[in-house]
Amino acid sequence: MTPGEAKTVLVVEDDENTSSLITLYLEREGFSPVTAGDGEKALALAGKHKPDLVILDLMIPKVDGWEVCRRLRRTSEVPVIMLTARGEEIDRVAGLTLGADDYVVKPFSPRELVARVKAVLRRTSPAPGEAERMLIHGAICLDLEKRRLSVNKEPVSLTPHEYALMAALMASPGRTFNRDELLDRLYPMGEAVVIDRVVDVHIGKLRQKIEPTPAEPQYIITVRGVGYRFADRQPQ
């Protein structure tokens, strides 16, 4: 990564020593870090700098990390790595389904954190060969070059995880994906320890965004006991 290509990483951490350590390792790897010690400043800096990724501690003053992530997701698809001392499964699931892209539990290795930053950025950047490709099915259009979804020609905002699932399913209509396969699409490098329930939550959110009647899905079909498939026939 050359200086001209430096990606901006917003580090939201109220512990100055931890923040300085993360910043040091990011700078060594050619990133351009911006720091915030509370949620209000984090949201202001996110709007000002439009970071390429956010490292977000959950236990921060003024506005906690959960609420910061919620507000970011209302207007942005910026990748988020949650950083916390809480490692219970329910917290991991809650954080990931809220829209976070990875979850790191303290104490952590700064080198591992930077490796996760690189992995998330690789996963959320367009892959070679995706340019000028569009997936169209009925009223749904997924632009792989711009990473944009539209339904009935109206734009629909997707989180990076929702985009990854949508791209996988739409690229192979009629094919049934089991939950492990879909988890591999979300975490191809095994960056996070998750459970298959995360897939179900993301699928539920996708249905709310694309289905005319989410309770009776026409596009993303459940294959009981296995996983999900994208309809191979257009809705009537």
Side-chain angles (χ1 to χ4, degrees), residues 12-14 38-39 55-70 80-88 90-92 94-96 98 100 102-106:
V12 187
E13 168 61 67
D14 63 330
D38 62 68
I55 296 174
L56 177 62
D57 185 21
L58 290 180
M59 308 306 291
I60 51 176
K62 295 187 178 180
V63 180
D64 67 27
W66 302 104
E67 183 61 23
V68 170
C69 190
R70 288 189 188 94
V80 175
I81 296 179
M82 284 187 168
L83 191 63
T84 179
R86 304 170 65 182
E88 291 85 355
I90 187 64
D91 291 318
R92 295 200 307 269
L96 293 168
L98 186 62
D102 203 351
Y103 194 103
V104 179
V105 179
K106 298 177 182 179

Side-chain angles (χ1 to χ4, degrees), residues 24-87:
L24 174 64
Y25 275 80
L26 287 170
E27 289 176 338
R28 284 180 178 177
E29 293 299 318
F31 292 98
S32 177
V34 178
T35 62
D38 62 68
E40 287 184 359
K41 185 177 180 181
L43 291 167
L45 291 178
K48 178 180 178 181
H49 293 280
K50 307 297 182 186
D52 297 286
L53 183 139
V54 177
I55 296 174
L56 177 62
D57 185 21
L58 290 180
M59 308 306 291
I60 51 176
K62 295 187 178 180
V63 180
D64 67 27
W66 302 104
E67 183 61 23
V68 170
C69 190
R70 288 189 188 94
R71 295 189 193 179
L72 287 174
R73 280 290 165 263
R74 291 174 189 166
T75 59
S76 171
E77 297 177 10
V78 61
V80 175
I81 296 179
M82 284 187 168
L83 191 63
T84 179
R86 304 170 65 182

Side-chain angles (χ1 to χ4, degrees), residues 150-228:
S150 62
V151 178
N152 292 316
K153 299 184 179 180
E154 293 294 326
V156 175
S157 177
L158 296 180
T159 68
H161 282 165
E162 291 167 353
Y163 171 84
L165 288 176
M166 199 70 186
L169 292 167
M170 284 193 72
S172 301
R175 175 190 167 185
T176 298
F177 289 83
N178 62 42
R179 288 175 176 79
D180 286 340
E181 289 177 304
L182 293 175
L183 277 175
D184 287 341
R185 300 301 178 105
L186 297 178
Y187 306 98
M189 304 297 293
E191 304 96 291
V193 178
V194 294
I195 58 176
D196 58 10
R197 186 154 52 97
V198 170
V199 171
D200 298 334
V201 174
H202 285 306
I203 291 293
K205 291 184 176 181
L206 270 176
R207 283 173 169 163
Q208 292 292 327
K209 293 180 177 183
I210 70 169
E211 300 282 0
T213 307
E216 300 175 0
Q218 302 178 25
Y219 294 106
I220 302 179
I221 310 301
T222 299
V223 181
R224 296 194 179 279
V226 182
Y228 299 94

Side-chain angles (χ1 to χ4, degrees), residues 136-154:
I136 301 174
H137 189 96
I140 297 179
C141 177
L142 186 65
D143 186 327
L144 297 177
E145 178 183 9
K146 298 179 180 178
R147 298 174 66 87
R148 293 177 182 172
L149 177 74
S150 62
V151 178
N152 292 316
K153 299 184 179 180
E154 293 294 326

